[in-house]
Amino acid sequence: MSGIEPLTPNRSISARIAEQILAKIEAGEFAVGDKLPPEIQLAKAFGVSRPSVREALGALQFVGYIESVRGSGNRVVRSTPASTRDAANHLDGSSRTVLDLFEARLRIEPEVAAVAAENPDQDKLDEVDALIEGMLVAVHEPTLQAETDLLVHRGIAAVCQNQFLRVAAINLIEIAASDKFSQSREEAWGDQVLPSIWASQHKKVTNAIRDRDPASAAHASWAHMASSVSNALNVLSADASVAGQANRLVALLDRGPARTA
């Protein structure tokens, strides 16, 4: 394959592969709609193992440049940094709205994870695990422009086979991904530590789902959402207009997840 530089192993080999593939996507060598070469072909071109290529592709999927098509490989879905869909035109993005959204997600996502653990969609579970592996690569590489883990949240919700709970969670996640809430995402992802912690927390959720342990899945999801909520509360603490709402969220965090067994 022309134009690909063989790599020598080092700690960021997967990220370097992702960067080279991304450069080809941005240059139009892999156009939107194109399928990428198979993993085995990419591994041979880069002179690396297939697991390294798989991690690189997972990182590109996590940041939204490609998608994995079951039984058909990987397809390019965009060639420029994401312009987030505005799924919340009727919302104002105020501090009150941000806290309302976090409260709704804190109450719903752990329960969706628990129900997913009772009867998981195994194919979707494998897909979200691949996203998490990609997240672990992407969060350390500024050139990959990781800005949110909401694709992982959406992937976890998709594992739930109760269609009403699944859709309710995904709707909230898509609102969180909208332009109206970009500031709260940027503030969280400016932290150098939190994204790596969040990737590990996501892994605990999927491990519990794979073990078919609803209580552990709910607790792990709650722990992750509690971290996000606490971060939001820290950011919004100076806004006196939402003090009462913030106190209610703090009390909700203190109570813990609904599922205890």
Side-chain angles (χ1 to χ4, degrees):
M1 189 183 306
S2 63
I4 284 182
E5 304 171 8
L7 304 177
T8 53
N10 60 49
R11 68 180 180 84
S12 61
I13 188 167
S14 298
R16 291 177 61 202
I17 296 168
E19 288 167 359
Q20 285 202 41
I21 296 173
L22 176 55
K24 290 186 173 298
I25 291 172
E26 292 176 331
E29 294 181 48
F30 296 137
V32 173
D34 285 354
K35 285 177 57 179
L36 293 180
E39 285 181 8
I40 191 168
Q41 187 176 345
L42 288 170
K44 183 176 180 180
F46 283 112
V48 299
S49 66
R50 287 184 69 179
S52 294
V53 169
R54 194 170 296 122
E55 285 185 358
L57 295 174
L60 290 172
Q61 185 181 358
F62 172 74
V63 294
Y65 283 93
I66 67 173
E67 68 176 9
S68 176
V69 181
R70 194 175 303 169
S72 186
N74 296 283
R75 181 171 63 88
V76 179
V77 293
R78 66 178 177 88
S79 60
T80 57
S83 177
T84 310
R85 276 189 308 134
D86 196 346
N89 288 327
H90 61 293
L91 300 174
D92 58 14
S94 66
S95 298
R96 183 174 301 280
T97 304
V98 169
L99 292 181
D100 275 349
L101 179 59
F102 271 116
E103 180 180 355
R105 293 181 60 205
L106 181 62
R107 291 180 183 275
I108 289 175
E109 289 190 47
E111 182 62 21
V112 170
V115 175
E118 294 172 359
N119 180 31
D121 182 322
Q122 294 294 336
D123 289 332
K124 295 293 186 183
L125 187 56
D126 290 342
E127 289 174 11
V128 74
D129 275 334
L131 270 179
I132 295 169
E133 293 304 315
M135 180 179 177
L136 288 167
V137 174
V139 295
H140 298 296
E141 300 298 329
T143 58
L144 296 181
Q145 303 178 63
E147 298 175 347
T148 175
D149 63 346
L150 288 170
L151 274 178
V152 177
H153 282 266
R154 196 185 194 287
I156 291 171
V159 177
C160 177
Q161 299 209 60
N162 181 303
Q163 60 181 318
F164 296 103
L165 286 172
R166 180 176 68 244
V167 168
I170 288 174
N171 283 344
L172 289 173
I173 292 162
E174 289 185 347
I175 290 171
S178 70
D179 290 339
K180 295 285 178 65
F181 299 93
S182 61
Q183 184 176 353
S184 61
R185 293 196 305 271
E186 289 165 2
E187 287 164 342
W189 280 74
D191 189 295
Q192 297 299 306
V193 177
L194 278 177
S196 293
I197 294 173
W198 288 342
S200 298
Q201 290 173 336
H202 285 312
K203 192 64 179 174
K204 289 181 180 179
V205 177
T206 59
N207 284 345
I209 292 173
R210 197 173 293 280
D211 290 341
R212 294 179 177 262
D213 185 340
S216 294
H219 277 267
S221 177
W222 178 276
H224 171 64
M225 285 303 306
S227 175
S228 299
V229 170
S230 296
N231 184 68
L233 288 170
N234 289 337
V235 170
L236 298 174
S237 60
D239 189 344
S241 70
V242 294
Q245 190 178 13
N247 289 337
R248 188 175 73 249
L249 260 179
V250 170
L252 181 60
L253 290 174
D254 288 343
R255 288 203 303 270
R259 291 210 181 207
T260 57

